[in-house]
Amino acid sequence: RVYRIIASYHKKTSRDPVTYSALSVIYMAKKKTNRQPKILIVDDEHPMVEALVLKLSNQGFDTRVAYNGAQALDALSNTDIHLILLDLVMPEKDGFAVLEHLKKSNRSTPVLVLTNLGQEEDEARCKLLGAKEYFIKADTPIISIVKRIAQILE
């Protein structure tokens, strides 16, 4: 709605160069936002989510957040997501359940698992269910995750 109001006002005020210029910046910023890759962050640890949102947003990504697997599946059914950052241990539905759902529905959205589970069996299970990457939170700087996301979405 805001986009339509700005576009309408933008057309009406095109004679005033200052107003036109300011509205052009807002208008173009809104258009650019619509083309940003959407990343769904699924994690129940709020500080981790906040850090990821901050870093990814600063790199030009549009972030969405789900704090459990059930919210993630709702978000996936309502939004076109380009990549998923997924924790494994969460309330309601865990990350394994989300991966199983994605595999059953033949969804090709890349998934990067970001967890504190360091067992090889967990990593193997995630890869079998379609995860592209498996990061252990304690061992991986956020900037490394951001770089890997950028590589995958190129």
Side-chain angles (χ1 to χ4, degrees):
R1 182 166 184 249
V2 171
Y3 178 76
R4 279 186 254 137
I5 291 169
I6 290 171
S8 170
Y9 188 71
H10 177 79
K11 290 175 186 172
K12 292 176 185 175
T13 61
S14 62
R15 294 183 195 148
D16 176 12
V18 176
T19 305
Y20 179 80
S21 178
L23 287 173
S24 291
V25 171
I26 295 168
Y27 182 80
M28 294 309 289
K30 179 63 179 170
K31 283 181 78 172
K32 184 179 178 186
T33 302
N34 290 338
R35 290 185 293 219
Q36 293 174 318
K38 290 183 186 79
I39 298 174
L40 178 63
I41 301 167
V42 188
D43 198 326
D44 60 333
E45 295 178 30
H46 290 260
M48 183 64 167
V49 169
E50 290 171 13
L52 287 166
V53 166
L54 181 66
K55 285 285 187 188
L56 290 167
S57 296
N58 285 338
Q59 293 297 313
F61 296 106
D62 182 6
T63 57
R64 308 297 162 99
V65 175
Y67 293 103
N68 60 56
Q71 289 178 359
L73 295 178
D74 285 344
L76 288 167
S77 66
N78 297 323
T79 310
D80 185 29
I81 299 294
H82 298 100
L83 185 135
I84 303 166
L85 273 176
L86 180 67
D87 187 16
L88 294 177
V89 181
M90 296 178 292
E92 291 187 48
K93 282 189 190 249
D94 64 15
F96 292 114
V98 172
L99 285 169
E100 288 168 2
H101 177 84
L102 293 171
K103 186 171 184 171
K104 286 178 187 173
S105 63
N106 292 321
R107 191 162 176 138
S108 61
T109 308
V111 178
L112 279 64
V113 172
L114 186 59
T115 185
N116 283 320
L117 299 180
Q119 307 247 339
E120 289 180 14
E121 298 83 27
D122 295 323
E123 182 175 356
R125 183 176 174 197
C126 287
K127 296 279 180 141
L128 187 65
L129 290 170
K132 271 194 163 303
E133 293 287 343
Y134 190 94
F135 295 108
I136 298 172
K137 291 178 185 178
D139 299 340
T140 311
I142 291 178
I143 194 66
S144 298
I145 298 164
V146 173
K147 286 179 182 176
R148 185 64 182 126
I149 289 169
Q151 290 172 345
I152 291 171
L153 294 177
E154 282 183 339

